[in-house]
Amino acid sequence: MMFWYDHNVSGWGWFAMSASMILFWALIITAAVLLFRALNRPHEHTHAPAVPTPEQILGDRFARGEIDEEEYRRRLDALHTGPPRP
């Protein structure tokens, strides 16, 4: 029976044990939340961004007013038919 009443833990000892238990569970919960977020994040591609297609470049030039509709259609047809044949 002596063990239950005399284990030499003062008030500061109880405080240190309580604080360390709270810190322990806070670290476990934080690690679990960070792991959950990391696993559910959409994967980001690390390669270079996609190069725009010639049709997109041509459409951008038409949208900015650098070329008129006639030139846009002529160049778009040239893109789709391929290079001129000799």
Side-chain angles (χ1 to χ4, degrees):
M1 284 290 189
M2 189 74 144
F3 176 74
W4 293 104
Y5 297 106
D6 190 20
H7 38 63
N8 295 328
V9 177
S10 66
W12 288 108
W14 284 107
F15 174 75
M17 285 192 314
S18 299
S20 63
M21 184 61 75
I22 291 170
L23 182 63
F24 171 76
W25 285 111
L27 288 173
I28 294 295
I29 292 170
T30 302
V33 168
L34 291 176
L35 180 65
F36 179 76
R37 285 185 181 178
L39 293 176
N40 285 334
R41 182 177 18 179
H43 298 289
E44 297 175 6
H45 299 289
T46 57
H47 58 80
V51 177
T53 64
E55 288 86 0
Q56 290 172 333
I57 295 172
L58 190 59
D60 289 343
R61 289 188 65 198
F62 179 61
R64 286 193 300 264
E66 295 176 6
I67 57 175
D68 60 358
E69 185 178 358
E70 181 182 334
E71 187 173 355
Y72 169 76
R73 296 210 182 274
R74 183 175 55 80
R75 290 183 180 211
L76 190 62
D77 288 340
L79 282 174
H80 290 176
T81 58
R85 297 184 181 162

